[in-house]
Amino acid sequence: MSGWVVVAGLGPGAEDLVTPEVRVALDQATDIVGYSPYVARIAPRSGLRLHGSDNRVELERARHALEMAAQGQRVVIVSSGDPGVFAMASALFEQLEASPGFAQTDIRILPGITAMLAAAARVGAPLGHDFCAINLSDNLKPFDLVEHRLRHAARGDFAMAFYNPRSKARPHQFARVLELLREECGPDRLIVFARAVSTPQETVQVVTLAHATPEMADMRTVVLVGNSATRRVGEWVYTPRGVTLAGEGA
Amino acid sequence: MSGWVVVAGLGPGAEDLVTPEVRVALDQATDIVGYSPYVARIAPRSGLRLHGSDNRVELERARHALEMAAQGQRVVIVSSGDPGVFAMASALFEQLEASPGFAQTDIRILPGITAMLAAAARVGAPLGHDFCAINLSDNLKPFDLVEHRLRHAARGDFAMAFYNPRSKARPHQFARVLELLREECGPDRLIVFARAVSTPQETVQVVTLAHATPEMADMRTVVLVGNSATRRVGEWVYTPRGVTLAGEGA
């Protein structure tokens, strides 16, 4: 039996947002690897080994998966959301580049519903026009680069989605992000704090930048910022598809 | 029986990329509304009316859905990919804003696998770091704004995903996009042309900007452009998670 590695997106949390393609891979697997809270989402069954690990050990986890596949095991690395969006797929290829001995591994990446799109769907269509996705964590990049990208995103009038907006280790940085956004986009721009979407812990808050505070976000929150045309209609938040239409409606 | 409108993402094409949540909504529907090629993906069954329509009639389609829901029908508006990414969700809210009589309609938006993430998964993890999604169509916005956003995306060193890159009506514009990208990003930047991903017509091409030609894209293609650190490892294309790592490997 030849082994393989699949990197699969489990979606934001709800079971009915897991694609049938991912479900098949999970059913065929001998080993599940991932950050412990994501591995905990997989139902145990006979013949399936679960290998939960800590956050921030992505490269070790990828190596473990490649080693097991080389021994003939069928390994699924699980990510929350989509594996290609600030998740395990890049880590696997970083490890593959560093470990030429694994070059022949049978690898597949299976997409999933990423958090920003689940959050957007919950409130309407805030990402209905051009948008950016930015990881606010500075674990792997300097915070200066985050600021640089935020300014370009704002000046390009992109809607924005932020992953990993705030952690206990760097509570001040998200305050700085809000300050920069107010400077670039003004106080009336709409911002959405969507936490744990599609899980029993789901909470969603929509406010203007003037009323946004750092405490509205934590590491389970995805933050969406509208573009200059984003507006409310009833309970919903949406971004018009066209610039002309935005002007007409404003 | 009270009516409702669901806007559902069917994913990029394969049946096993349709979420169970969307499948349930399709099973409960009395009416399916959408662009004809997407409606054609729904299996006919007794009691289900299929209403296919042309492209570029999004607001009329949205109004039709709201009218049917007001009469007690259970309507699913189908989009390819995700309904909130350059698709029908924004059009529905535009129509809702213009038609206050429908304000009480029971509406839900159900996310789907959007084309850029399906394409990214196919080639590796090219969107593994901060990225932008840009609709290159100028149906609803001036092409100047497209150029403005492309420059900000390039100068922010975002990876990029382009929807609707090229149509028969405006073949010259995508040539201009490639020219602008070569100017901003240099000739060695990786670019991916992913057509009809997950369907029997799927084709994927990875080249550098120096070798990219407008003919590589059509309206069924999603185009991905790497950031300055995006690289190949074997057959794969990926963007490292961190800037430090990118520097080390370059």
Side-chain angles (χ1 to χ4, degrees), chain B residues 47-106:
Chain B
L48 181 68
R49 288 172 294 269
L50 303 176
H51 310 268
S53 48
D54 281 349
N55 212 348
R56 300 205 189 183
V57 294
E58 290 86 355
L59 294 177
E60 295 87 326
R61 187 186 295 148
R63 185 166 183 95
H64 186 207
L66 291 166
E67 286 166 354
M68 288 193 287
Q71 290 158 12
Q73 288 157 249
R74 301 186 296 278
V75 185
V76 176
I77 304 176
V78 289
S79 276
S80 177
D82 180 275
V85 178
F86 313 126
M88 277 300 298
S90 284
L92 178 68
F93 293 114
E94 282 173 34
Q95 186 56 266
L96 194 69
E97 190 175 40
S99 312
F102 294 117
Q104 298 310 312
T105 310
D106 177 359

Side-chain angles (χ1 to χ4, degrees), chain A residues 16 21 84 90 94 97 127 130-133 135 140-141 148-149 152 155-157 231 238-239 241 243, chain B residues 16 21 90 94 97 127 130-133 135 140-141 148-149 152 155-157 231 238-239 241 243:
Chain A
D16 64 357
E21 182 184 57
S90 284
E94 282 174 31
E97 191 175 39
L127 305 178
D130 304 330
F131 65 93
C132 295
N135 185 352
L140 293 167
K141 67 184 168 190
H148 176 74
R149 287 188 176 152
H152 278 293
R155 290 175 189 179
D157 198 20
R231 63 186 75 184
Y238 88 99
T239 302
R241 298 164 302 151
V243 168
Chain B
D16 64 357
E21 182 184 57
S90 284
E94 282 173 34
E97 190 175 40
L127 305 178
D130 302 331
F131 65 93
C132 295
N135 185 351
L140 293 166
K141 67 184 169 191
H148 176 74
R149 287 188 176 153
H152 278 294
R155 291 175 189 179
D157 197 21
R231 62 185 77 183
Y238 87 99
T239 302
R241 299 164 300 150
V243 168

Side-chain angles (χ1 to χ4, degrees), chain A residues 180-238:
Chain A
L180 185 154
L181 289 171
R182 275 189 287 264
E183 191 183 311
E184 293 284 343
C185 309
D188 299 328
R189 185 67 57 92
L190 290 174
I191 181 168
V192 177
F193 295 88
R195 183 172 188 279
V197 168
S198 87
T199 77
Q201 293 81 41
E202 175 176 321
T203 60
V204 178
Q205 256 187 301
V206 182
V207 296
T208 60
L209 279 178
H211 293 94
T213 62
E215 296 69 32
M216 291 176 179
D218 66 13
M219 288 305 272
R220 293 192 70 191
T221 308
V222 66
V223 177
L224 308 177
V225 179
N227 76 11
S228 61
T230 304
R231 63 186 75 184
R232 291 177 191 258
V233 50
E235 297 284 300
W236 300 99
V237 176
Y238 88 99

